[in-house]
Amino acid sequence: SPTRCSLSPAGSARHPKINENVLGYHPSVDAFCRARVADFDPDGSLYVLAYRDPRLATRGQLARVSHNLVALDTPPAAEALCVGCSVLFAAEAAAAAAEQRYTRGRIVAVGEDGDGQTVFSVAREAADGSGAPPEGHTVCTGVHLFQLRPAPNVLDVIFHSTAETTSGCDRTVSYDIFLACDDQGQSSGDNTLYQALIDAIKK
């Protein structure tokens, strides 16, 4: 497959680990919200999250969120961003840090503001990754680096947990990956790569 721009800044596109601060998708608000990784369930490829906003917790229970809907809560490296990169961004400032919401988008332009600071124009995408743009699909302009987060990318998780010797490369090469499953949906064959991912998250 041809290479494409995929957000993979050094030091921020690795897999989230237990006890780290992350952004996890929450369907009740259709956005990514601040949380802490409490555990990882390898059977369902689910992160177990404790959301920071108490309004999102049901009687204090932990939430189980798919690995492809969890991202690190750290700004990406500016030099790794370009037109076409998939990101999460905070379109509006929240009253409290724990209540901040992030949505999914794709960078469509990079420029500078009046102070010479780099700013991005980001086209909104469906927060849950379904691909369909939300109603009232818009482009947000003047988005600063501190408002951005790396979008969830399972390929980044795999590459950074099993091939960390590829230092010096700040772009990801995209591949088509096929998983063979039996009638119950269980993957078959060599699960060495997937097991390495699980072990890395549990560390």
Side-chain angles (χ1 to χ4, degrees), residues 49-145:
L49 303 182
Y51 284 101
R52 302 291 186 184
D53 187 343
R55 296 174 299 178
L56 300 178
T58 304
R59 298 178 182 178
Q61 293 180 346
L62 300 175
R64 302 165 73 82
V65 182
S66 175
H67 64 277
N68 61 352
L69 292 174
V70 177
L72 289 171
D73 189 10
T74 53
E79 61 272 15
L81 296 174
C82 60
V83 172
C85 282
S86 180
V87 294
L88 302 180
F89 70 104
E92 300 177 355
E99 300 172 2
Q100 185 64 62
R101 306 283 190 261
Y102 290 78
T103 192
R104 193 185 298 260
R106 191 167 299 276
I107 295 175
V108 295
V110 182
E112 291 186 352
D113 62 13
D115 297 324
Q117 299 293 316
T118 300
V119 292
F120 304 88
S121 295
V122 185
R124 289 177 179 266
E125 295 182 345
D128 62 1
S130 62
E135 186 177 349
H137 179 65
T138 58
V139 173
C140 294
T141 60
V143 180
H144 288 82
L145 184 64

Side-chain angles (χ1 to χ4, degrees), residues 104-189:
R104 193 185 298 260
R106 191 167 299 276
I107 295 175
V108 295
V110 182
E112 291 186 352
D113 62 13
D115 297 324
Q117 299 293 316
T118 300
V119 292
F120 304 88
S121 295
V122 185
R124 289 177 179 266
E125 295 182 345
D128 62 1
S130 62
E135 186 177 349
H137 179 65
T138 58
V139 173
C140 294
T141 60
V143 180
H144 288 82
L145 184 64
F146 72 87
Q147 296 172 278
L148 298 176
R149 297 294 184 269
N153 188 337
V154 68
L155 294 183
D156 286 337
V157 171
I158 293 174
F159 293 154
H160 281 262
S161 63
T162 61
E164 295 192 81
T165 57
T166 57
S167 58
C169 176
D170 63 357
R171 291 293 188 274
T172 297
V173 177
S174 296
Y175 297 90
D176 292 324
I177 294 179
F178 299 90
L179 297 177
C181 297
D182 58 24
D183 293 339
Q184 285 72 45
Q186 299 296 319
S187 61
S188 59

